[in-house]
Amino acid sequence: MARASLARALLRPRYPASCFQSSLRNSTWHARSYSLRADDATDPKLRAIDTSSLSIQKTTTPKELIPNEELVFGRHFTDHMLTIEWTASDGWLQPRITPYQNFSLDPATCVFHYAFTCFEGTKAYKDKEGNVRLFRPDKNMKRLNKSAGRIALPTFDEKPMIELLKQFVKLEERFVPSSKGYSLYLRPTMIGTQKTLGVGPPGSALFYCIASPVGPYYPTGFKAISLEATTYAVRAWPGGVGNAKLGANYAPCIVPQMQAAKRGFHQNLWLFTENGEEYVTEVGTMNLFTAWVAEDGVKEIVTAPLDGTILEGVMRESVLELARERLVPEGWRVTERRFTMKEIDKAASEGRMLEVFGSGTAAVVSPVRNIGWRGKTIDCGLSPGEEAGPIAKQVAEWFAEIQYGEAEHPWSWKV
């Protein structure tokens, strides 16, 4: 990206200072999704993206491909990046694909001071015929819009944005690993770029997407992890921003994760305490699923509801849809409701716990061996030496079939 072009965007005010307070006062509350957004978030002029104006500048120094076995998640990047600037006066400007490069931002840029940043994570896969596929990119772009709107960043028309992502992936096709278990991780990101120390909606913003060829998220591969049930730190709360994929949601979780690791756990199991009950929300950066035999004798898969305290995971939604389609006919019940650590402990102690697993774009499916809670270890149903239960294995296989094009499915989009 040309520095002069970005500099011009930084200098354009979105609103005069007198409008900041009225803009904040007029923000609307959407009770159903527990989210807020700026009033102009749906202005057609400010959302439109012209894909026909896409400019592509190819690198003159292509990188060498990293062997699959040497890939470390998020450490290696492709040759190019997709960028689109936005201003309050002109909306989305010309989209560009340029060589991967640094940004030049003023020290007063609002993203540095007030965390005007949100992002997504999605993947591109290569099937056995060599076709490149995306997994439900429409869901990721819809969620990015919700996240952006929540922190007064601009929203966009989703279909043209997906088309730009496809063009970007096509250009980077050689970086998409062909081996199963490997993929090209895409990181669409949006930041506020206005140069100001005043607190208000940014007058300029930047969308960009970078890509990283990746292998398994955990170096140990598809192996069970241990969790520490955590109440001394809280990830999210009703009415907060736990349901948006904001940069500000992640940094505060690192210290509790480090503390859990010192005690021998891989991740935190985030709990939310209310009226003396410790409700299960998420695990690390994933949504959590519990499979047990309910007290009425029915086999049940349970996950926390979309009440504003958990991220609306694309993989979460996909697990639920596939489970309802394929497991319910086999006698399973699939439930979204609040449930507590006491229920998990009781199911384990009564021999009703079948298995626990997390789901997310990066790890896809992550089996859980045990949970540390109140000084004891709760067994999550795996036999000694077993790394995954049958449900987690089945879900992982369902996703692999779809993502790698082994089974035709509307969630798999050819690039």
Side-chain angles (χ1 to χ4, degrees), residues 374-385:
R374 291 181 177 265
K376 62 181 177 180
T377 300
I378 299 175
D379 181 81
C380 293
L382 296 180
S383 301

Side-chain angles (χ1 to χ4, degrees), residues 117-121 143 147 241 243-247 249-250 311:
T117 178
C118 56
F119 65 95
E120 274 299 319
R143 188 172 64 183
S147 298
V241 293
N243 60 339
K245 202 167 179 67
L246 309 181
N249 286 344
Y250 289 80
L311 185 67

Side-chain angles (χ1 to χ4, degrees), residues 6 13 19 27 29 81 91 93 96 125 130 146 175 183 219 238 249 259 264 292 305 335 361 384 403:
L6 182 57
C19 293
S27 293
W29 168 254
M81 60 196 297
L93 307 180
R96 303 173 185 274
Y125 303 83
K146 293 178 72 173
F175 288 96
S183 57
N249 286 344
Q259 293 176 350
W292 57 28
T335 306
T361 296
Q403 292 164 339

Side-chain angles (χ1 to χ4, degrees), residues 13-93:
R14 182 172 182 181
Y15 305 105
S18 61
C19 293
F20 286 168
Q21 293 303 319
S22 62
S23 176
L24 293 173
R25 283 197 302 269
N26 293 330
S27 293
T28 54
W29 168 254
H30 295 264
R32 178 174 297 180
S33 62
Y34 289 82
S35 64
L36 293 159
R37 64 183 183 186
D39 288 339
D40 66 349
T42 57
D43 186 331
K45 174 190 172 184
L46 298 180
R47 287 174 56 94
I49 298 174
D50 181 10
T51 58
S52 67
S53 67
L54 174 64
S55 169
I56 300 178
Q57 177 191 353
K58 294 184 179 181
T59 183
T60 57
T61 56
K63 300 173 182 176
E64 292 186 10
L65 296 180
I66 305 295
N68 286 352
E69 61 273 15
E70 296 180 16
L71 291 174
V72 178
F73 192 93
R75 294 285 180 86
H76 309 283
F77 298 93
T78 62
D79 286 335
H80 302 90
M81 60 196 297
L82 168 67
T83 60
I84 321 175
E85 296 174 43
W86 179 94
T87 70
S89 57
D90 299 320
W92 292 102
L93 307 180

